[in-house]
Amino acid sequence: MNYENEHIANTYQRLPVNVLNGNGAILHDINGKRYIDMMGGYGVAILGYGNKKIKEAVCRQFDTIPIAHASEYTAAREEFIKNLTGIVPAGLDKFYLGNTGAEAIEAAIKVVIKSSKNHKIIAMTNSYHGKTAGALSITYSEKYRQSFGDLLIKNVEFIRYNNMEDLDKIRKDNDISAVFFEPVQGEGGINIPDRDYVRELRQITEEKGIILVADEIQSGLGRTGKMWAHEHFGIKPDIITIGKGIGGGIPLSVTAGKPEFMDNLAKGEQSSTTGGNPIAMASGSAVIEQLTDDLINEVAVKGELFRNTLKEYLADSRIVKEIRGLGLMDAIELRVKFLPVFMDIINRGVLPLYSGINILRMLPPYVISDTEITEAAKIMSEGIKSYNKEVAP
């Protein structure tokens, strides 16, 4: 820990956890302490730790050919594309392959700029799309933006998320090329929009020829109990961005869109040395092959179990404002700052995430068992109740 703190740039909130190994949804530190992982590597470990099929695919590919630039062809990439085409929305079957979610967003920004005579982008309050310059331009949080204003795209306007009145701004503005939105906001606090809002947003963008980009980097791949979160609202976007769990722990991201838009990127306008590399492709194929309907249905059921158990344990808590979520994408909104509660929960053996200053956020592996879900809910509730005793009624 001391060595990392001395040599790694101070850009992360570091936790007092030195991870040694993991299996399923359980992690162990170097001292043998057990943690139920409700963080999931910030949503990456969707199939948990020690997944044998991912390991076997990566090892096979390493022994065959570990790197092939995208200017070359490889069977591993062909197999991944075939698998990917089977899960993306129909018609969104032209892809840019990258490494990170932010890179997928950067590609999407270039696609929409090249695909429209207009260059204005609409983004949402409380949005999070990444921290590279383009992605940061459509990320709402001022704490991330304030030091880099001169580098950001200027022609971006934020409207209120899940606010019907603000949709009129899109309806009346003829300079918009695209709208970027998260079907469920992740870092913003697990915010779930109304079905009517999302359907109205889709209708307006279709009527005006505005490209609708759904950021499914955190909410996609079964996280909400459906393959894609936008399916809950009965709409289909023009472009989706995919990341986090798609690579099974190997860096991988995808910008998937209609060919009429994706084909507007010219050679050299977006590229990556390691984008679409064979090891990531093999790992990605192993992930997709395991994302069965049964597994995704289990995600929905497990999410209900987790939220219902939390609500039962925390029914009389004075500091809990709301428990919400969709599938295994969950939040506990507190009436106090999260940090002391968060650290107490970690000490008790559960690793959660957080959002803002007062929200505990959970993105556990899909393979977490019912017993582990119930245990995690109990431990988290005990941490919250312990803090209850320290605040005035």
Side-chain angles (χ1 to χ4, degrees), residues 78-316:
E78 178 189 15
E79 181 181 5
F80 174 74
I81 291 168
K82 287 179 178 177
N83 283 316
L84 183 62
T85 302
I87 65 168
V88 296
L92 276 63
D93 55 358
K94 201 63 174 285
F95 310 123
Y96 170 77
L97 304 176
N99 305 278
T100 67
E103 191 178 341
I105 291 291
E106 295 285 346
I109 290 172
K110 289 182 178 179
V111 169
V112 301
I113 295 301
K114 287 293 298 288
S115 299
S116 174
K117 68 180 187 302
N118 302 315
H119 288 170
K120 185 175 185 178
I121 293 173
I122 297 294
M124 305 286 178
T125 55
N126 297 316
S127 62
Y128 181 84
H129 299 288
K131 296 190 179 83
T132 51
L136 185 59
S137 300
I138 57 174
T139 291
Y140 184 71
S141 177
E142 187 59 28
K143 73 176 180 179
Y144 299 141
R145 297 165 57 90
Q146 60 185 359
S147 298
F148 309 105
D150 291 343
L151 298 177
L152 303 183
I153 299 171
K154 305 304 180 186
N155 210 8
V156 174
E157 179 180 345
F158 291 94
I159 65 171
R160 288 173 290 179
Y161 186 77
N162 199 32
N163 184 285
M164 294 291 281
E165 183 179 330
D166 272 19
L167 293 183
D168 282 339
K169 296 181 179 180
I170 301 175
R171 186 178 282 110
K172 295 175 181 178
D173 193 332
N174 294 320
D175 296 324
I176 299 170
S177 61
V179 175
F180 282 72
F181 91 115
E182 297 160 90
V184 177
Q185 288 188 329
E187 178 157 322
I190 313 298
N191 302 315
I192 305 168
D194 297 329
R195 181 181 174 88
D196 288 346
Y197 170 82
V198 178
R199 292 176 71 87
E200 183 72 7
L201 172 63
R202 175 70 281 196
Q203 182 177 336
I204 293 170
T205 53
E206 283 183 337
E207 289 174 353
K208 295 182 65 67
I210 296 169
I211 301 170
L212 184 63
V213 182
D215 183 340
E216 293 267 15
I217 291 164
Q218 187 171 141
S219 62
L221 299 171
R223 172 60 64 184
T224 64
K226 291 185 181 293
M227 182 63 76
W228 307 108
H230 67 259
E231 294 179 59
H232 288 282
F233 309 100
I235 64 112
K236 186 171 76 172
D238 301 303
I239 295 171
I240 61 173
T241 54
I242 309 165
K244 292 194 181 291
I246 187 65
I250 305 295
L252 173 61
S253 66
V254 181
T255 308
K258 296 178 178 177
E260 65 190 84
F261 302 129
M262 299 297 293
D263 285 342
N264 289 319
L265 279 181
K267 287 181 175 62
E269 289 186 332
Q270 183 72 13
S271 62
S272 168
T273 301
T274 55
N277 75 82
I279 289 179
M281 298 291 89
S283 186
S285 287
V287 169
I288 293 173
E289 288 165 5
Q290 295 178 76
L291 289 179
T292 63
D293 290 341
D294 286 345
L295 178 62
I296 294 173
N297 289 337
E298 285 180 15
V299 169
V301 173
K302 289 175 181 178
E304 285 291 329
L305 173 63
F306 182 52
R307 290 186 293 277
N308 289 339
T309 307
L310 283 172
K311 289 174 182 177
E312 179 182 345
Y313 281 130
L314 294 169
D316 58 350

Side-chain angles (χ1 to χ4, degrees), residues 311-332:
K311 289 174 182 177
E312 179 182 345
Y313 281 130
L314 294 169
D316 58 350
S317 173
R318 298 189 303 273
I319 67 167
V320 173
K321 182 177 180 181
E322 185 181 17
I323 296 167
R324 59 178 178 266
L326 202 57
L328 288 172
M329 190 174 183
D330 298 294
I332 305 171

